Amino acid sequence: MRWNTWIRQIHRWLAIIFTVTVVVTFVALAQEEPVVWVSYAPLPPLVLLMFTGLYLFVLPYAARWRGGRAVARGR
């Protein structure tokens, strides 16, 4: 599998993990005595999502800068 495919798969799984942590955070903070530190749980997947998302965003532009491979022209 190519490097770009790995990044896409990691990005998809991070999105699922982020969604689950946000749901868990909402449930935890809705309790009678909420545990406030749980609100920080979504931040690590969010940071990783940001980096993988930026990589995927720049990927077509980088391909065009490197010489216009077929990926940049719409496959």
Side-chain angles (χ1 to χ4, degrees):
M1 205 182 318
R2 291 181 17 201
W3 183 250
N4 298 338
T5 308
W6 278 102
I7 296 291
R8 286 183 195 281
Q9 287 288 49
I10 291 169
H11 188 76
R12 288 177 186 147
W13 281 105
L14 282 172
I16 292 169
I17 292 168
F18 174 71
T19 304
V20 169
T21 58
V22 168
V23 170
V24 168
T25 301
F26 274 105
V27 170
L29 293 178
Q31 303 299 319
E32 288 290 324
E33 295 181 24
V35 182
V36 179
W37 64 266
V38 175
S39 62
Y40 297 115
L43 293 180
L46 183 63
V47 169
L48 294 173
L49 268 172
M50 181 186 68
F51 287 124
T52 57
L54 286 173
Y55 174 80
L56 292 172
F57 177 78
V58 171
L59 196 60
Y61 300 107
R64 208 174 301 155
W65 293 330
R66 283 183 290 184
R69 291 179 26 202
V71 174
R73 285 186 230 133
R75 300 176 197 201

